[in-house]
Structure formats: structure tokens, C-alpha cells
Amino acid sequence: NIHSSKMAESGESVLCVGNVCLDIINYCDHYPTEDEDIRAIKQKWSKGGNCANTSCVLRMLRGENCEFLGTLGSGMETDFVLSEFDQFGVNHTHCVTHPQYRLPTSYVVLNTKNGSRTIVHYRNIPELIHDDFLKIDLSKYLWIHFEGRNLVEVSKMISTVREHNNSLKSTHRKITISIEIEKKKNQESLIPLADVLFVSKEYACHYGYKNAKDLCLGIQGKCKDGAILICPWGEEGAVAIDSAGQLFSSPSFPPPGGLIDTLGAGDTFIAAVIHKLASGRGIQDAISFGCRVAGAKCGMNGYKGLADIKWDNPDF
């Protein structure tokens, strides 16, 4: 195991709620043109899905209990991703299994010349629903991160967390709720629900924003009081804004050896930012660390090499 598992004490665990899939990654020396027949340099299977990736990176960075919650199918694909969760030490005991379905699959073309990744995703498995979420003990968690998907059910889950927080005594630390808005679908209803909101470049560009700063200034007024809004922008780094309107920014940190694999860089960024914020660090430290860890990830295949880097080094 990358980290040995340990049980989290009350209120110490980070829960990631979202999607897990099997990534079938074909490494190619160029991106194919339409109707072209090319041979892959190599192929590998990997666990994929935004929150699944984020939970594993969090586990490496925190060295503490992290949990993934989502839906699983049956068959060797599910067995494979559960084995990877176990290797990382990520708890998945509350996942909901639908044995009549297979796990979602992403078919990835990874261009070894520039590290770009192109994804075709297929899924027909049911999404996690509010009734599934009600079965977990919220007292275990200090932070819950949601993918912006299945909006009606996710909104109900967030309401349940808010009700839990409202029931706590003032001396108890409330659960922080973060949400990732990535896709171009209508996800505006989630914006005012997050304590920490991550908005992707893809989403921003779809709505006409030219850069991360413009996005932050453009939608900060829609966020809840006290919220932090964060927008990573690939090679241009990341920008954040707090509820007082103060902007923070970080450059990107390209890997010295060049781009090798950008698949999951955004998930890595989110994990690193959550780790710092959950540890009590400020917004500037958090987004700078996020850019550094995401940059390091882009210089390696997969994520496991992140465990070999001494992140307590003053440079980080």
C-alpha cells in the first residue's frame, strides 16, 4: 500500500462524493485524424473519475483517512478499481453496488508528444441518490467534496450536511462543503451551495470568460457569504477570490522534464487545495500548493509518483 490504512477519529476524514470509472488509456505518438488507423505505443488500465482521483491524491498528501462514495457495477472493471482504492488506502465501504450494471468506462487517447488527453466516456449505471447518502455517519467528516453532477440529488445531500452543521454546538467544527463545477451543463444552482467552489476552465470558457480572473469576478456575487471561489486555468495557473472580493493568484509549475500525462491534473489540483485549506492554511498557500502538485503530476504517468515527493519541503 502507498499508505497503510487507519481508522479516522470523529471529524477527521475527508469524503469525496462522485464518479469512479475504469480508464483504458492508449498512449499514442500523435492524436489521430478522423478515420485514421494507428497503433498505440502502449495501453494501461487505471482507476478514473474526478472524485475517485481526488480521494487518492488526498490520501497521499494527508496520510490520513480519505473516503470515496459513489456507485459501482459488477465484473472485473469494478474489481480492478477497488484494488486500486485499496492500494492507495482509500475507504470505499459505503459505495453502492448495482450488480446488474458494469462500471462506467473512459477510453483515453494520450498524446505522448504533448501530454494531451482526449476522452470518450460511456456510462449507464445509476447515479448516487440522497437515500444512499443518508446511510453515512456525518460526524466522521471534517470536509465533504462533491462533483457537480446529478444536481437534484447532490443538492439534497448538501442540504443534509447543512442540517447536520446547524445541529452542532458552537464548539464543534462544522463540515466544510466543496463543489467542483466542471462540465458545461446547467450547474448554476450549485454555485451558492459551496463553502469552497472549484470552477473549471471548460465551464468558464463556455460562458464567455476569457481568463480565471474574469470568471472569479463575474460569478463571485452568486456565491454564499464567506465562500471561496477557485478557478484553475491550466498552464496559466489559478486564481481565487474570497467573499470580500480579494483576489489571489498562482502561476503554474510545469514539470522540468516536460509534460508526460495531464490526465487528472485538475483532480490533483483540487486534492492539494483541499488538503491545505483543511489543514488551516490560507488561500494563497492553498492554490500555490495546488499548482505545484498538479505540475508535478503532469510530469509523470499516473499519480503514484506523488507519494515519493517530500511535500513538507519548504519549497511546497
Side-chain angles (χ1 to χ4, degrees):
N1 283 9
I2 292 172
H3 286 294
S4 59
S5 296
K6 75 171 188 176
M7 293 301 292
E9 296 179 13
S10 178
E12 287 190 349
S13 190
V14 178
L15 175 66
C16 297
V17 182
N19 180 41
V20 63
C21 65
L22 173 68
D23 284 351
I24 300 177
I25 306 170
N26 289 298
Y27 293 80
C28 302
D29 61 10
H30 68 281
Y31 183 76
T33 59
E34 186 170 359
D35 207 30
E36 182 181 4
D37 185 354
I38 66 171
R39 185 181 294 272
I41 299 168
K42 67 175 180 176
Q43 183 187 82
K44 77 169 185 177
W45 283 22
S46 179
K47 170 196 49 54
N50 292 17
C51 269
N53 294 335
T54 295
S55 65
C56 290
V57 176
L58 267 166
R59 181 71 170 95
M60 285 188 286
L61 295 175
R62 294 185 66 76
E64 297 173 4
N65 191 283
C66 294
E67 182 175 350
F68 170 79
L69 177 62
T71 56
L72 303 170
S74 62
M76 61 182 179
E77 300 91 349
T78 295
D79 294 341
F80 178 87
V81 301
L82 291 182
S83 175
E84 282 214 348
F85 275 136
D86 292 339
Q87 289 175 39
F88 280 93
V90 171
N91 184 355
H92 51 81
T93 55
H94 293 105
C95 286
V96 178
T97 299
H98 297 279
Q100 67 272 41
Y101 294 92
R102 304 300 286 253
L103 197 74
T105 305
S106 286
Y107 301 89
V108 183
V109 176
L110 197 149
N111 184 345
T112 59
K113 288 290 195 298
N114 60 14
S116 73
R117 83 293 180 277
T118 304
I119 304 169
V120 177
H121 182 71
Y122 174 74
R123 65 180 296 115
N124 68 346
I125 196 170
E127 296 271 6
L128 193 77
I129 61 173
H130 181 234
D131 286 347
D132 301 325
F133 187 78
L134 291 175
K135 297 174 184 177
I136 66 173
D137 177 5
L138 292 177
S139 68
K140 291 171 48 181
Y141 308 107
L142 64 85
W143 192 295
I144 301 181
H145 176 64
F146 294 91
E147 275 185 56
R149 58 187 308 117
N150 194 21
L151 304 185
V152 172
E153 296 299 319
V154 166
S155 297
K156 292 178 184 177
M157 296 177 204
I158 292 170
S159 293
T160 295
V161 180
R162 292 279 178 227
E163 291 170 6
H164 168 82
N165 281 345
N166 292 337
S167 72
L168 296 176
K169 297 179 180 178
S170 59
T171 54
H172 284 68
R173 178 172 177 173
K174 298 181 185 299
I175 299 169
T176 300
I177 297 169
S178 60
I179 303 173
E180 177 192 17
I181 293 180
E182 180 192 31
K183 304 302 181 186
K184 295 179 286 189
K185 303 171 186 174
N186 297 322
Q187 299 185 327
E188 291 75 17
S189 63
L190 295 178
I191 291 175
L193 304 183
D195 300 312
V196 179
L197 181 67
F198 297 92
V199 179
S200 73
K201 177 181 178 181
E202 177 185 358
Y203 181 92
C205 290
H206 177 71
Y207 286 95
Y209 295 101
K210 304 300 184 185
N211 54 60
K213 179 181 176 181
D214 287 350
L215 178 281
C216 286
L217 292 172
I219 70 170
Q220 186 258 349
K222 300 178 182 179
C223 296
K224 69 183 289 287
D225 290 343
I228 300 168
L229 169 60
I230 301 169
C231 182
W233 206 272
E235 62 186 15
E236 295 182 24
V239 175
I241 191 168
D242 65 13
S243 59
Q246 182 176 356
L247 287 162
F248 305 83
S249 64
S250 171
S252 63
F253 296 87
L259 296 176
I260 293 176
D261 175 10
T262 62
L263 184 65
D267 308 330
T268 302
F269 173 84
I270 288 173
V273 171
I274 290 174
H275 168 58
K276 285 297 184 182
L277 292 177
S279 302
R281 301 292 286 271
I283 298 172
Q284 185 63 60
D285 284 347
I287 64 170
S288 295
F289 184 68
C291 288
R292 287 185 181 275
V293 179
K297 182 267 159 292
C298 291
M300 63 182 70
N301 286 312
Y303 307 89
K304 293 180 181 178
L306 294 174
D308 300 326
I309 299 174
K310 297 186 183 302
W311 296 111
D312 57 353
N313 185 303
D315 289 340
F316 298 113

